[in-house]
């Protein structure tokens, strides 16, 4: 287990479900980045959302905010806002560890007679998007009496009523509407507080509710703290709580002595749990914080102003719950089952024999799926940005060329990716087959021009094939097949009009520029699409189409291999390259045979001579991997700096770097690093592949960057989810659900291998051992779903 | 000299004049916080504003951005923007030191054959607000050839054209209007670039110009970098510059290969200086960056949207210059004289015998005067916020109760404070004498209710007296005297209606709440005002008024001493205190005899029995000073944390802390710490006073906080300028310009004392020595202004 101390200030684990938003638990135990309002909110601090501890035995009492000490710098233009409680007594130290989705936090404080630990999570169950999409977070404190006397121990959870919350003003005061109402509730064995604001318009994008719930009957509830012009409520709370762990009396009377300023609408409430702890005894203090913000702006641009009377788009979770209480109660009522199944996943993946950095890369980037980067609307449709800016989504429309790389969602929640394909083919692809690389019609907008990206257009054909392999849903494939054919034919017509099997002309792509000439990366995706198309055509009995695509692919890939192979890797060929900008010519492009990675993931075989593929991918490692970036010349965005290690998008080992190559050529993208690492592993360069993964993860070490937030153009960047490819490559897993076949061919620890696997029908653990005589034993251990009737095949590729 | 290494990430020195805005030089040599647009811009990064170095000798060449390596964390949602150049080769290490206004930065890089140092400053000459208010910054690089061969060395200054700049978009791209135009200029021995945008409306608040100038004839100029959709310009710049130190050719042609995105309006220009350096030779490469943004929003709220046709308020510097070129040329042409006089100030204050922390506290907070917190409008009127938020001023209207504490401006630029008094008395004070604590009429707005603050109202009377003492300007005093009398009488009527000499009723004050009952702090200011008023009444021959005020003061202060003295300090007295919020009762308030500090500063004598004053101020030190804040209970804003040292606003050494005392009672404000420290020194507790100052400065150590930005409610907070009181207290300086008398009574190093002094007529160094026989030699060394006819008196107080 990797532990992040509280001095690892960047380490913060976002807790929340798919399409629900998250709240982040810092390595210091603080709750930050409240991103629960249907849009990003990185760095967005609320006030008075915290847990506090009171311990009392004989004459001694101790009271603490359950957060550890801050580390410098302390630069804040107004000091730290009172609501953040950084002036209050807290714990000496803490450390955080995550085995997805479970965060464990250990506090240390030698001056306390108790030991405090916290487990926090939101259920995560592959293939169960609903149960992995509850807008809530569970916090389970365990407190152990390490003294020799009985201790009366209280933990209190406090939250401000954030119904209608509009962000903070320039003083960091929360902008809150009038009319907030906190109510005690009891429902069966559950008690707690529901926080609403009946004065908010039901359709307003910030309308919503929050709740604190517990199944523990022992303890007080304070509906509403004392209100006032300043921080009267906290002074009063601490006055009571630090005396005996009790909560204050209800008193919403305001003070007369001061201007009723920015805090007049603030209504904080607390739920306490109190237990006697005998010497040596440990008890649990368990809370659920839940939230419910049903309305999204009906646009990709969350800055679009909302006017009264305008329709909003409902969140998917809003179709399942009525308010935050219902959501929280659902989690609490079904907690044993939800936690047990979540822990099966955790165990399966963390106890695998995969290298630690790989497990970390696979699991840490699940956070992208459960971040503000992704969301679901009322009918369940899955939509996503590329990433998340601080306050809004970054680059809209489930961008085809970025999501191309991502594997996590497709393999763990195939229904979500199927829904994305339905938008791309069903709604967005034009009658002529042109597929804009960002979907816009979902919110009723129609761009002037439908701009396709060559990599996105072809890659999405491969992804359609993947979704079918993983689900075996014939209806799904039938529904999209006609448009898919059109899309592939459009690609041929548009970029390979002479049908020589080589793309040409203006080729827009994921580097946000146009490539010209022949570009191996885009050609390789073209061939992967033709190969996938061929498989699907055969399935539908369209032999002629299959034949045509097979021939195109074979002709093209052969030609490309002849024309673009420079003896070590594939180059771009473009006459008069000097008169263009943004090309790379003889460079060694990390993505040069990206299509081969797609082909491997979907077991479409080698698109080029195997020895060239192997040599090309090794050349990428050899030329583009850097042990540090000191003295590097990068006039582009800086993702790797100073002592960082990483793999750059392009290098020019033989010189001839254009003065202005494509605008990201010197950059380091984790999504590309993972696809290269996966591909290295597929080709047998396991050690090199793992080294690249370790490089990425060493950049995200909690001190330099957040382990649970790999960035590119925004936080929680979708491309980072190519990391799931590492698991696929290392296990050599292939799922053919239509034919009910699973197969594995591990690339590591073949003598004693175990790995998590998941296809659309179920998931579990695959175990393989090989004895000294080379006899291989294979075993499937299903943990979830229904894998009956599946055959386990050998790992030939 | 105190040096801040580049790892002291918080250390950044703002360079700019009074009312001009600033650009900050980081300890890494980077330029950040471009606050030159008539409003704050902390954290506001522009792109491509940098200096670069090229060195070439025989076969070897080196190229560097003149900035040292970054330290973690590297968390940025989109990596670092290309314009910030964090991916480019830079210097290994650097360190920064400031002797106000001169910043010295030393680079170290063992791999380079040269040693690079930088001196950067903006002229600062007490009593010369104009020469201390030029919108420009001088950068003087010295480069020494430490190799054995001749080196061709180029330094290039680059800037983007920021005319009409509107801030950054969510990608951190600069929002720039079309039509930017960079022009080479030559004027006498000065050459450089003027950057304008003729398409901007002349009255638009963001209209303006920038310039790079040099008096050095050797080197190239590139008007406009290559433009393009991405970072084409920087790629091209580096291509040329790294080859031979040359600048690229003019080429504003755009590229065809890409979407013309956020960079299409970016026009960067560069000015180079090239010299041959012989082995061992050192040469200077000197640049001026200047700016000119003439228009302010005609409101205290800079967020007020501006509409075409609306009037704006002109900056004062706009009445002196036509554009950035003129401003920069003025600085360059007069540089020898401006620098020489600035260095006289630096020498006078840094070579004084004052403790290092005191000199630091006095000088570092001059930055508040030359920050966005303060500004001047066209007629020269001086106006100020309390401080600066990130993007707007914090708390408008030259707040009387905050500016009460500040001494720096009054003593170094008395004309500015006189202008502020003219607004407060002349424009804002109502006919009944009520003085709102924030001026609003200057921008034509009339508040519904004129709210006075007791401390602000009375303190401003004392400040009027101070401005007269420092200037001797009879016209000024005559002009404001009638309103001043009304203001003092209003205070009596409003808060001391029974004229028992004790304030009562609702007393609004600098803690943003109402005090009730009798409050020693407010009473002490009342008595200081009565004492100052008495002096002025006597001057005007109004004996009856003088008599009335003297009697009130004597009666009151005696009564207060009797009623509020608890044996150790003065307490608040309020019946039924439990039914109020925000009072402090028996607490030991740091500001409890703030009026006595004002009285000392203006030599108004003791307002209370000297032994009580001495004991009270020592009690403050004893009870309110903290060696650390670990375990402290502060539910308010956190300005001092963990291992920080500091002095809290209030303590309750005898218990009885109200549950909800005034809302800042646990806070730590540098402005209050300095007034307490000054007062400790006045009372002979020099060691204790200096310890408090050292505590403040140890919090602002460059690692925790910025040494040149003491915050309270915002950056560069005005109250911090109470630090000038330290110099007054330690030197015992008193200026009586009306009577042409100066006197000193040092509280430290009396055997060999030297100190900077300044009154409205001139400034210089005071030197005093005492031989073993106790014979004292005093010497005045005038350095600026006209101090002829002044007599030097003994230091009796």
């Amino acid at each position: 287990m990797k532990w992040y101390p509280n001095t690892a200030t960047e380490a913060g684990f976002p807790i929340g479900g798919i399409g629900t938003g998250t709240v982040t638990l810092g390595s210091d135990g603080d709750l930050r980045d409240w991103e629960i309002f249907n849009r990003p909110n990185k760095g967005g601090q609320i006030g008075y959302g915290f847990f506090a501890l009171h311990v009392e035995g004989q004459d001694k009492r101790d009271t603490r905010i359950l957060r550890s000490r801050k580390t410098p710098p302390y630069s804040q233009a107004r000091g730290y806002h009172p609501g953040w409680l950084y002036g209050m007594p807290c714990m000496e130290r803490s450390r955080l560890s995550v085995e997805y989705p479970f965060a464990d936090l250990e506090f240390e404080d030698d001056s306390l007679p108790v030991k405090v630990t916290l487990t926090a999570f939101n259920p995560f169950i592959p293939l169960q998007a609903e149960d992995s999409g509850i807008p809530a977070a569970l916090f389970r404190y365990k407190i152990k009496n390490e003294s020799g006397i009985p201790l009366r121990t209280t933990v209190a959870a406090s939250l401000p009523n954030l119904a209608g919350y509009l962000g903070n003003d320039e003083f960091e005061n929360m902008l809150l509407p009038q009319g907030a109402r906190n109510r005690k509730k009891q429902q069966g064995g559950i008690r707690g507080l529901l926080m609403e604001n009946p004065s908010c318009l039901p359709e307003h994008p910030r309308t919503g509710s929050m709740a604190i719930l517990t199944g523990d009957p022992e303890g007080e509830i304070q509906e509403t703290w004392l209100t006032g012009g300043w921080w009267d409520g906290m002074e009063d709370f601490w006055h009571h709580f630090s005396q005996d762990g009790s909560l204050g009396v209800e008193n919403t009377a305001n003070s007369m002595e001061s201007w009723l300023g920015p805090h007049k609408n603030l209504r904080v409430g607390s739920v306490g749990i109190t237990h006697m702890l005998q010497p040596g005894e440990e008890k649990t203090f368990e809370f659920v914080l839940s939230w419910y913000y049903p309305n999204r702006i009906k646009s990709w641009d969350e800055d679009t102003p909302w006017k009264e009377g305008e329709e909003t788009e409902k969140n998917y979770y809003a179709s399942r719950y009525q308010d935050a209480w219902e959501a929280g109660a659902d989690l609490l009522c079904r907690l044993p089952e939800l936690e047990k199944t979540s822990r099966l996943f955790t165990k399966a993946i963390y106890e695998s024999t995969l290298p630690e950095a790989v497990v970390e890369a696979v699991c840490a980037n699940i956070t992208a799926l459960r971040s503000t980067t992704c969301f679901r609307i009322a009918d369940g449709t899955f939509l996503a940005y590329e990433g998340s800016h601080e306050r809004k989504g970054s680059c809209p429309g489930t961008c085809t060329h970025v999501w191309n790389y991502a594997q996590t969602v497709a393999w763990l929640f195939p229904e979500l990716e199927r829904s994305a394909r339905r938008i791309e083919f069903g709604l967005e692809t034009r009658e002529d087959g042109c597929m804009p690389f960002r979907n816009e019609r979902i919110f009723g907008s129609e761009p002037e021009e439908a701009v396709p990206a060559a990599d996105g257009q072809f890659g999405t054909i491969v992804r359609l094939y993947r979704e079918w392999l993983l689900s075996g849903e014939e209806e799904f494939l039938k529904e999209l097949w006609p448009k898919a054919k059109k899309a592939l034919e459009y690609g041929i017509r548009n970029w390979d009009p002479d049908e020589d099997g080589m793309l040409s002309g203006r080729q827009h792509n994921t580097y946000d520029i146009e490539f010209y000439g022949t570009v191996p990366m885009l050609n390789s995706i073209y061939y992967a699409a033709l190969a996938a198309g061929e498989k699907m055509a055969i399935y539908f009995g369209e032999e002629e189409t299959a034949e045509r695509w097979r021939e195109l692919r074979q002709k093209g890939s052969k030609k490309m291999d002849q024309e673009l192979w420079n003896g070590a890797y594939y180059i771009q060929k473009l006459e008069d390259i000097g008169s263009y900008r943004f090309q790379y010519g003889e460079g060694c492009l990390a993505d040069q045979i990206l299509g081969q990675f797609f082909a491997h993931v979907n077991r479409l075989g080698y698109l080029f001579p195997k020895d060239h593929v192997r040599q090309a991918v090794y050349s990428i490692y050899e030329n583009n991997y850097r042990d540090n970036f000191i003295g590097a010349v990068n006039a582009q965005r800086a993702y790797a700096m100073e002592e960082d290690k990483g793999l750059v998008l392009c290098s020019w080992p033989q010189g001839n770097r254009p003065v202005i190559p494509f605008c990201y050529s010197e950059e380091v993208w984790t999504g590309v690093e993972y696809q290269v690492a996966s591909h290295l592993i597929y080709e047998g360069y396991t050690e090199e592949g793992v080294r690249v993964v370790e490089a990425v993860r060493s950049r995200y070490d909690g001190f330099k960057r957040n382990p649970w937030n790999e960035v590119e153009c925004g936080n929680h960047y979708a491309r980072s989810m190519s990391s799931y490819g590492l698991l696929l490559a290392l296990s050599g897993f292939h799922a053919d659900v239509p034919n009910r076949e699973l197969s594995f061919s591990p690339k590591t620890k073949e003598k004693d291998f175990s790995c998590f696997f998941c296809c659309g029908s179920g998931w579990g653990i695959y175990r393989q051992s090989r004895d000294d005589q080379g006899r291989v034993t294979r075993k499937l251990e299903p943990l979830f779903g229904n894998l009956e009737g599946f055959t386990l095949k050998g790992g030939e590729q």
Side-chain angles (χ1 to χ4, degrees), chain A:
Chain A
M1 268 180 117
K2 192 182 265 185
W3 287 95
Y4 300 90
N6 57 304
T7 48
T9 54
E10 307 308 293
F13 180 67
I15 304 174
I18 298 170
T20 68
T22 56
V23 56
T24 290
L25 177 69
S27 58
D28 57 359
D30 220 359
L31 297 180
R32 61 194 197 210
D33 301 345
W34 292 77
E35 306 190 89
I36 60 177
F37 309 103
N38 298 315
R39 59 188 298 181
N41 194 27
K42 274 283 180 278
Q45 295 239 44
I46 65 161
Y48 305 115
F50 68 101
F51 294 92
L53 168 74
H54 180 82
V55 185
E56 199 170 347
Q58 287 171 348
D59 300 336
K60 202 173 169 307
R61 61 189 64 157
D62 284 290
T63 318
R64 295 281 196 287
I65 306 295
L66 285 172
R67 187 245 315 145
S68 60
R69 289 172 55 188
K70 290 281 162 200
T71 45
Y74 302 138
S75 292
Q76 280 276 334
R78 289 155 298 276
Y80 288 90
H81 192 280
W84 308 354
L85 307 174
Y86 293 168
M88 299 299 284
C90 63
M91 309 294 278
E92 259 180 60
R93 289 181 302 282
S94 59
R95 57 180 199 156
L96 171 67
S97 182
V98 171
E99 292 199 339
Y100 202 89
F102 298 94
D104 284 296
L105 198 126
E106 293 184 3
F107 286 109
E108 282 188 66
D109 194 324
D110 299 339
S111 65
L112 277 182
V114 293
K115 170 84 185 164
V116 183
T117 57
L118 164 66
T119 299
F121 72 102
N122 174 290
F124 182 78
I125 303 170
L127 305 181
Q128 284 285 328
E130 292 208 358
D131 287 346
S132 308
I134 303 172
L138 186 123
F139 295 86
R140 178 183 299 143
Y141 288 93
K142 285 195 179 167
I143 302 184
K144 187 174 183 189
N145 183 349
E146 295 187 325
S147 80
I149 56 165
L151 297 172
R152 189 169 180 277
T153 303
T154 304
V155 177
S158 301
L159 264 190
N161 184 322
L162 293 176
Y165 171 57
L166 286 172
N168 296 353
D169 68 12
E170 62 265 32
F171 298 90
E172 298 287 1
N173 294 315
M174 291 178 281
L175 295 166
L176 296 164
Q178 280 192 309
R181 192 181 65 186
N182 302 348
R183 278 189 300 150
K184 285 182 204 179
K185 283 198 74 158
Q186 179 90 35
Q187 176 191 351
I190 299 172
R191 67 186 176 96
L193 266 181
L194 173 59
M195 299 174 156
E196 302 169 297
N197 190 326
S199 73
C200 289
L201 295 167
E203 287 296 314
H204 193 286
R206 287 305 181 101
T207 287
S209 58
M210 300 184 73
I212 313 173
L213 306 89
T214 180
D216 195 317
E218 302 298 329
E220 290 184 73
I221 294 178
Q222 185 180 15
E223 261 182 3
T224 312
W225 283 11
L226 180 68
T227 58
W230 297 97
W231 4 101
D232 311 23
M234 183 65 198
E235 295 275 12
D236 185 66
F237 171 85
W238 197 258
H239 174 69
H240 293 280
F241 192 70
S242 65
Q243 263 173 19
D244 56 4
S246 72
L247 302 177
V249 289
E250 310 300 329
N251 184 353
T252 56
N254 239 311
S255 58
M256 296 298 294
E257 289 83 23
S258 177
W259 168 65
L260 280 181
H263 305 280
K264 66 172 186 269
N265 295 332
L266 176 66
R267 297 294 179 271
V268 184
S270 302
V271 173
I273 299 176
T274 302
H275 289 297
M276 281 303 300
L277 297 182
Q278 298 306 317
E281 192 182 18
E282 181 178 70
K283 279 189 178 165
T284 289
F285 301 71
E286 188 175 85
F287 302 88
V288 165
L289 304 188
S290 58
W291 57 89
Y292 180 82
Y293 289 87
N295 308 321
R296 294 189 69 90
I297 280 286
K298 221 176 164 66
S299 161
W300 282 103
D301 182 1
E302 307 99 319
D303 280 345
T304 311
W306 180 83
K307 286 178 223 85
E308 199 175 328
E310 262 177 16
E311 211 186 335
T312 47
E313 188 68 52
K314 283 273 175 300
N315 250 328
Y316 180 61
Y317 73 67
S319 64
R320 297 160 56 214
Y321 305 115
Q322 292 295 315
D323 59 24
W325 182 273
E326 273 197 21
D330 183 38
L331 171 55
L332 259 185
C333 291
R334 300 195 293 131
L335 184 61
E337 164 221 340
L338 293 171
E339 180 167 359
K340 188 180 143 216
T341 321
S342 298
R343 288 201 182 273
L344 285 179
F345 164 76
T346 306
K347 201 173 144 71
I349 199 155
Y350 284 89
E351 293 185 3
S352 73
T353 56
L354 303 180
E356 191 184 346
V358 167
V359 173
E360 206 185 300
V362 170
C363 291
N365 288 303
I366 296 172
T367 52
L369 163 61
R370 305 221 292 179
S371 75
T372 48
T373 297
C374 304
F375 60 100
R376 297 181 78 183
I377 54 175
D379 66 2
T381 294
F382 177 78
L383 297 165
Y385 297 89
E386 294 179 20
S388 296
H389 290 304
E390 285 77 1
R391 295 289 178 274
K392 58 190 293 192
S394 169
C395 305
T398 328
C399 177
T400 58
H401 59 64
V402 169
W403 276 85
N404 249 351
Y405 295 72
Q407 301 299 331
T408 309
V409 188
W411 291 80
L412 298 182
F413 299 94
E415 62 167 312
L416 301 182
E417 287 270 355
R418 286 200 301 280
S419 122
R421 295 303 84 75
R422 282 195 171 95
I423 299 298
E424 287 142 15
F425 289 106
L427 187 64
E428 285 289 335
T429 298
R430 305 320 196 234
E431 276 312 302
D432 65 356
C434 173
M435 178 193 296
F437 64 87
R438 301 189 189 286
N439 66 61
E440 297 198 37
R441 286 177 168 170
I442 186 78
F443 293 126
S445 111
E446 189 70 43
E448 273 179 50
E449 198 194 356
V451 182
D455 46 358
Q457 177 107 8
F458 291 124
T460 306
I461 307 282
V462 187
R463 295 193 287 158
L464 176 67
Y465 176 62
R466 177 188 63 191
E467 274 50 290
W468 178 53
L469 278 185
L470 286 173
S471 70
E473 263 199 26
E474 198 182 22
E475 276 315 299
F476 163 75
L477 191 61
K478 262 193 181 153
E479 176 192 336
L480 303 188
W481 176 238
K483 274 292 190 66
K485 274 196 294 187
K486 282 187 181 176
L488 186 45
E489 287 295 337
Y490 173 89
I492 298 168
R493 237 175 22 252
N494 198 43
W495 290 297
D496 184 15
D498 61 2
E499 301 201 9
D500 69 342
M502 298 271 272
L503 306 182
S504 61
R506 180 179 171 142
Q507 298 153 59
H508 191 73
N509 60 72
T510 201
Y511 306 131
D512 296 338
I513 46 81
E514 324 297 329
F515 276 146
Y516 294 89
T518 4
V519 183
M521 164 192 176
L522 301 174
N523 277 291
S524 73
I525 305 174
Y526 179 34
Y527 308 142
L530 289 166
E534 183 188 331
K535 296 268 193 192
M536 294 186 283
I538 290 169
Y539 176 77
F540 286 115
E542 302 179 15
E543 288 302 334
E544 213 170 303
T545 305
E547 176 69 20
R548 164 176 153 71
W549 289 346
R550 179 165 55 247
E551 276 175 18
L552 256 180
R553 171 174 59 82
Q554 286 171 343
K555 182 166 57 176
S557 69
K558 193 172 164 192
K559 201 167 171 201
M560 167 174 142
D561 188 63
Q562 282 165 354
E563 293 189 7
L564 307 187
W565 181 252
N566 75 349
Y569 56 87
Y570 293 101
I571 60 168
Q572 177 192 21
K573 219 161 173 187
L574 172 61
E575 274 182 47
D576 192 20
I577 193 171
S579 68
Y580 292 82
R581 293 186 193 172
F582 311 133
Q583 313 302 303
Y584 70 96
E586 296 173 38
C588 180
L589 186 71
D591 276 337
Q592 63 185 274
I593 43 172
L594 177 58
Q596 183 63 67
F597 166 67
F598 296 159
H600 282 335
V601 162
N602 298 292
R603 209 167 283 185
L604 289 166
Y606 276 89
L607 303 172
F608 310 100
K610 183 172 175 175
D611 59 330
H612 283 186
V613 167
R614 293 197 74 227
Q615 202 178 335
V617 79
Y618 191 80
S619 290
I620 296 168
Y621 171 75
E622 212 174 14
N623 294 307
N624 296 20
Y625 178 77
R626 305 263 180 277
D627 253 337
N628 69 69
F629 286 79
I630 298 166
V633 178
N634 169 18
Q636 306 165 8
R637 295 175 300 183
Y639 293 105
M641 309 165 66
E642 312 299 351
E643 306 84 353
D644 283 336
K645 303 176 198 301
L647 186 132
V648 296
L649 291 198
C650 198
S651 66
W652 285 267
Q654 309 177 344
N656 291 328
R657 180 189 188 271
V659 175
I660 305 172
F662 72 91
C663 52
Y664 304 140
S665 54
E666 308 290 347
E667 297 184 358
V668 173
W669 295 356
T670 72
V672 169
E673 289 173 296
Y674 289 141
Q675 83 83 357
V676 169
S678 301
H679 200 169
L680 279 163
I681 294 164
Y682 272 123
E683 304 303 340
Y685 296 113
T686 303
E687 198 181 308
E688 290 80 1
V690 172
R691 190 167 305 138
V692 171
V693 177
E694 286 168 347
V696 181
R697 294 308 298 173
S698 73
R699 298 203 304 273
Y700 288 85
D701 66 354
F703 293 89
K704 294 176 181 173
R705 300 173 183 83
N706 185 357
W708 301 286
N709 177 15
E710 292 188 9
V711 310
E712 195 188 302
C713 187
N715 295 301
H716 305 295
Y717 199 76
R719 200 181 334 249
S720 67
M721 289 188 285
S722 65
S723 64
Y724 196 84
L726 298 165
L727 184 149
L728 300 174
L730 278 163
S731 61
F733 177 53
H734 181 65
D736 182 348
V737 178
N739 290 309
R740 305 188 86 64
E741 285 176 11
L742 303 179
S743 68
F744 296 84
S745 82
K747 296 286 181 187
T748 172
K749 307 217 183 210
E750 290 172 277
K751 281 199 155 181
D752 185 16
F753 176 86
S754 93
C755 183
F756 169 82
F757 74 92
C758 181
C759 70
S761 305
W763 50 265
I765 299 171
Y766 172 73
R767 294 185 200 277
Q768 173 179 320
S769 58
R770 198 177 57 189
D771 65 16
D772 294 342
Q773 282 71 49
R775 276 174 308 221
V776 174
T777 318
R778 304 167 185 279
K779 201 184 138 204
L780 216 56
E781 195 176 316
L783 296 172
F784 185 88
N786 181 1
L787 293 169
E788 269 178 52
F790 274 71
T791 53
L792 181 60
K793 301 263 277 190
E796 68 285 344
Q797 169 145 358

